[in-house]
Amino acid sequence: MELGLVGLGKMGGNMRERIRRAGHTVVGFDRNPDLADVHSLQELVDRLEGPRVVWVMVPAGAATQSTVDELAELLEPGDTVVDGGNSRWTDDEKHAEELAAKGVGFVDAGVSGGVWGLQNGYALMVGGDKEHVERVQPIFDALKPEGPYGYVHAGKVGAGHFSKMVHNGIEYAMMQAYAEGWELLEKVDSVENVREVFRSWQEGTVIRSWLLDLAVNALDDDTHLDKLRGYAEDSGEGRWTVEAAVDHAVPLPAITASLFARFASRQEDSPQMKMIAALRNQFGGHAVETK
């Protein structure tokens, strides 16, 4: 099938390549003309045959809103918009209503896979009406990992981004646990090779995971993470997870503590946050601060 893809950054560019490798046609637009196949949203829409599917992969908030607003004026009844960025689920309901007034469908897709998605596939959590999801299914099938897992139609509009938000909250807590364990191991004189302790956990232990593998990668690059400053940003989804927990009276002590630990990292050079920063760089290509 044909797909319009708006936003060709670290994830969008790799997604375009993976979809093309599956045999589909992708027409990409980005503000950077060196990355783009076309040079305006109008040109992108004109290049696609109806019914069109346009996937938006731009930063959450104002950038996504302005893109959806422009597409609402350009697209025709029967077309579908997919928001694959990290939008807040409450924005999805607004976007779906705005597009429905024009006869355009809307699907929200939580996408996980970071800079490794081209090689390994992207985990997809999707929300929207069944008929709209089915229109995009060949693209979901192209993006997902091989095998039976890695894709779910989680529910109605907003369910995809809500699921991805909770996924990221869990990710916060897992990274925090690895980081705290790493700092404690580094502090004890009797443990002489912390990196190899982490490596030994990669097989046969109950805490083995892809994040653990990435932690070992980071330690191979910088054994004691001496090059990094102990500072870690938060993407916003950790905050939204905690806010949703408050709204629904669901206790999330581990996730909440991991979010607050990131805030603390901005006040001091935290050893634990060196590991968090290294992990975020490993899986997502997020920028790190060096000393």
Side-chain angles (χ1 to χ4, degrees), residues 250-291:
V250 175
L252 300 184
I255 292 174
T256 302
S258 66
L259 173 65
F260 287 173
R262 294 199 186 186
F263 296 163
S265 80
R266 298 163 203 178
Q267 300 169 344
E268 59 184 271
D269 190 25
S270 164
Q272 293 171 23
M273 287 303 133
K274 291 182 179 183
M275 177 58 77
I276 299 292
L279 283 168
R280 294 181 80 241
N281 178 258
Q282 285 283 326
F283 70 72
H286 299 289
V288 296
E289 294 201 9
T290 57
K291 288 188 174 180

Side-chain angles (χ1 to χ4, degrees), residues 16 23 49 69 85 110 118 164 173-174 205-206 219 259 270 281:
R16 174 175 61 175
E49 294 185 10
D69 289 344
L118 175 59
K164 176 56 162 51
M174 290 176 66
T205 72
V206 297
L219 295 172
L259 173 65
S270 164
N281 178 258

